[in-house]
């Protein structure tokens, strides 16, 4: 596709429910990032993939958060037993694998509301 | 640990006036610096970046920024703004090494008024 696509655009979950957020990166982009953006805040790093390898997951806030990219393309961020503090916009970004010339292309995000 | 401070949460300005959005960072290692813009209902997009070399970098839409190592700043400027520049602007920093995690500021909301 022309850009990074995220789905769903909006998700409302009841506390305790599991959710799965999908990211389709730009075709050919090797690197994929997940960020969490709370209301009125800047994005916060969650995790990063290079192809199918998850190279950094230091930003995942708890073991309820899990991300995968099994074929090195589409990625899914899963949140188990959602809590109210998980409410945020979840941003996905992709880039060519160029560690010294990084330009991230962002999707429009998934806005998660946990009631 | 690295951090980014955007000194102004909101900047109102009249059309065709100059604007400066301020960004300071802290880091014990060499850094790369970025400015991203988020227009209403759109995803973040890169305005400009500093990796090395000339400290004055030019980006899209007439924006430029200057890296000042001694003052640990990377302020964004535009000599004459348009209504269409109304958006949220984010400064971000990352380690110049292999760690590709970006640390972001809280953002500055630029409102351009006619």
């Amino acid at each position: 596709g022309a850009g990074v696509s995220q789905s769903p655009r909006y998700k409302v979950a009841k506390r305790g429910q599991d959710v799965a957020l999908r990211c389709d990166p730009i075709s050919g982009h090797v690197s994929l990032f997940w960020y969490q953006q709370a209301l009125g805040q800047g994005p916060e790093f969650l995790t990063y993939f290079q192809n199918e390898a998850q190279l950094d997951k230091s930003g995942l806030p708890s073991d309820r958060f899990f991300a995968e990219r099994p074929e090195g393309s589409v990625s899914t961020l899963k949140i188990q037993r959602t809590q109210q503090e998980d409410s945020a916009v979840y941003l996905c970004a992709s880039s060519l694998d160029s560690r010294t010339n990084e330009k991230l292309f962002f999707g429009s995000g998934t806005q998660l509301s946990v009631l | 640990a690295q951090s980014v401070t955007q000194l102004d949460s909101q900047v109102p300005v009249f059309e065709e006036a100059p604007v400066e959005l301020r960004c300071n960072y802290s880091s014990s290692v060499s850094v790369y610096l970025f400015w991203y813009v988020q227009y209403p209902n759109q995803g973040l997009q890169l305005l400009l970046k500093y990796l090395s070399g000339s400290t004055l970098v030019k980006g899209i839409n007439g924006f430029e920024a200057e890296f000042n190592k001694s003052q640990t700043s990377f302020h964004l400027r535009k000599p004459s703004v348009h209504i269409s520049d109304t958006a949220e602007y984010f400064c971000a920093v990352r380690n110049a090494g292999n760690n590709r995690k970006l640390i972001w500021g809280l953002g500055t909301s630029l409102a351009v008024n006619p």
Side-chain angles (χ1 to χ4, degrees):
Chain A
V4 177
S5 177
Q6 291 188 247
S7 61
R9 184 73 180 89
Y10 302 95
K11 176 70 179 178
V12 178
K14 292 183 179 179
R15 192 168 52 141
Q17 186 178 357
D18 297 349
V19 298
L21 313 179
R22 177 186 170 103
C23 174
D24 279 273
I26 293 173
S27 178
H29 278 193
V30 171
S31 302
L32 186 145
F33 302 79
W34 284 99
Y35 284 85
Q36 179 191 60
Q37 187 174 18
L39 188 64
Q41 305 290 313
E44 298 256 353
F45 173 83
L46 293 177
T47 186
Y48 150 57
F49 292 85
Q50 186 168 319
N51 294 307
E52 68 278 4
Q54 189 173 19
L55 298 187
D56 187 345
K57 54 181 182 179
S58 63
L60 296 176
S62 76
D63 59 8
R64 296 186 295 103
F65 286 71
F66 172 77
E68 60 183 3
R69 195 186 184 197
E71 297 178 359
S73 178
V74 171
S75 177
T76 304
L77 176 66
K78 297 178 179 177
I79 309 173
Q80 297 177 321
R81 304 181 303 281
T82 52
Q83 304 294 315
Q84 283 190 321
E85 62 262 28
D86 299 335
S87 295
V89 176
Y90 290 85
L91 301 170
C92 177
S94 69
S95 76
L96 294 169
D97 185 26
S98 178
R99 297 180 183 182
T100 59
N101 190 20
E102 190 144 280
K103 178 178 180 180
L104 296 183
F105 293 82
F106 281 84
S108 295
T110 293
Q111 184 171 329
L112 173 65
S113 299
V114 181
L115 305 179
Chain B
Q2 294 161 335
S3 67
V4 175
T5 302
Q6 291 185 242
L7 296 157
D8 307 292
S9 60
Q10 296 183 3
V11 173
V13 64
F14 287 110
E15 194 174 18
E16 299 182 6
V19 71
E20 178 181 79
L21 306 184
R22 296 180 292 169
C23 173
N24 285 87
Y25 70 94
S26 67
S27 177
S28 58
V29 298
S30 295
V31 296
Y32 296 154
L33 293 153
F34 305 81
W35 276 97
Y36 278 82
V37 61
Q38 188 169 32
Y39 297 105
N41 299 314
Q42 294 187 30
L44 288 155
Q45 58 181 280
L46 182 67
L47 264 181
L48 48 78
K49 60 180 184 274
Y50 171 80
L51 304 179
S52 64
S54 173
T55 57
L56 182 64
V57 292
K58 294 186 183 299
I60 62 172
N61 300 339
F63 283 92
E64 63 180 33
E66 184 156 20
F67 171 54
N68 188 320
K69 188 174 182 180
S70 63
Q71 296 187 7
T72 61
S73 67
F74 191 54
H75 300 333
L76 181 71
R77 301 186 183 98
K78 185 169 182 178
S80 175
V81 295
H82 303 292
I83 298 286
S84 59
D85 293 322
T86 294
E88 191 83 14
Y89 292 79
F90 291 93
C91 181
V93 64
R94 58 157 276 210
N95 189 314
N98 289 332
N99 187 336
R100 298 178 71 187
K101 177 192 322 187
L102 277 174
I103 307 300
W104 298 75
L106 295 181
T108 296
S109 178
L110 176 65
V112 181
N113 300 300

